[in-house]
Amino acid sequence: SVAIAKNAWNWGIRMEIVDANPWAGMKFPRATKQNPRNLSLFERRKVFASAASEARPIQVALSLALYAGLRLGEILRLDMGALTWGPSGFIRLAPGKDGEPRSTVFPPELQTAMAPFREGDGRVMPSEVTHRLVQRRTRAVSKRAGVAFSIHDLRRTFARLMIEGGANPLDVRDMLGHS
């Protein structure tokens, strides 16, 4: 990249190999940062219709991101014992980045998606479901649905929907594991 070339010339000056850096003083375009993405209802419907052809664990991973706001790593480590089923269901999560355990919602839509796993014990995701596999399958769903999104965008959408639904922003922050 251009930055590497510029740094190499600066090193050459420090080592007294060259006298001047031809890159000095040049302004370089910065990569534009992609804005956080929230999916509309229409886009969410397209995504989940497209995900219907995926293996059940991929569908559940997408659902956990959208309906509970979980990070992909949390989804992969989620234990069945952390789920409290019922009308006031919730998910207890192990200590996260800040070292504190937290809880998030376990709404009926998510309970329905996870019903086939209810009798199991141990982890929700089979061991062969990896971070890379979920990301790859999410890109495939994105392409089929014609909706550019990442699994983290589903987490952002969860936060927006909770706040739009009247949840206290501080509670949403806590559910997401932010400090």
Side-chain angles (χ1 to χ4, degrees):
S1 88
V2 174
I4 294 171
K6 187 175 180 180
N7 289 334
W9 279 93
N10 286 336
W11 176 83
I13 292 169
R14 284 193 307 277
M15 296 285 125
E16 298 179 357
I17 298 170
V18 295
D19 294 327
N21 182 347
W23 299 95
M26 292 185 71
K27 300 285 184 197
F28 303 103
R30 295 199 176 259
T32 57
K33 188 174 180 180
Q34 187 176 358
N35 289 331
R37 180 119 164 69
N38 289 300
L39 278 66
S40 68
L41 176 60
F42 177 71
E43 289 172 322
R44 294 190 310 270
R45 286 182 176 160
K46 285 176 69 173
V47 164
F48 281 90
S50 177
S53 63
E54 291 291 329
R56 192 73 173 161
I58 302 302
Q59 295 173 29
V60 168
L62 296 174
S63 295
L64 283 163
L66 178 63
Y67 294 114
L70 300 188
R71 296 177 179 99
L72 181 51
E74 293 168 337
I75 292 167
L76 296 176
R77 291 186 307 271
L78 186 61
D79 189 80
M80 289 301 291
L83 307 176
T84 301
W85 300 79
S88 299
F90 61 94
I91 300 172
R92 285 180 315 282
L93 296 163
K97 291 179 177 181
D98 62 357
E100 294 292 323
R102 72 179 208 274
S103 294
T104 188
V105 295
F106 189 32
E109 301 89 349
L110 186 51
Q111 291 184 36
T112 300
M114 295 186 65
F117 299 96
R118 189 170 183 168
E119 298 306 317
D121 57 355
R123 290 207 171 150
V124 171
M125 291 289 136
S127 59
E128 59 271 9
V129 177
T130 64
H131 199 277
R132 187 174 184 175
L133 174 68
V134 175
Q135 285 186 322
R136 193 171 66 236
R137 298 313 314 150
T138 298
R139 282 192 297 273
V141 169
S142 173
K143 187 173 183 180
R144 277 196 314 270
V147 177
F149 80 99
S150 69
I151 198 152
H152 201 79
D153 291 331
L154 297 176
R155 180 174 152 82
R156 288 185 188 104
T157 302
F158 163 80
R160 182 190 50 122
L161 292 173
M162 291 295 291
I163 291 170
E164 285 178 357
N168 181 327
L170 297 176
D171 292 337
V172 174
R173 178 197 69 187
D174 292 343
M175 283 188 271
L176 293 171
H178 290 262
S179 51

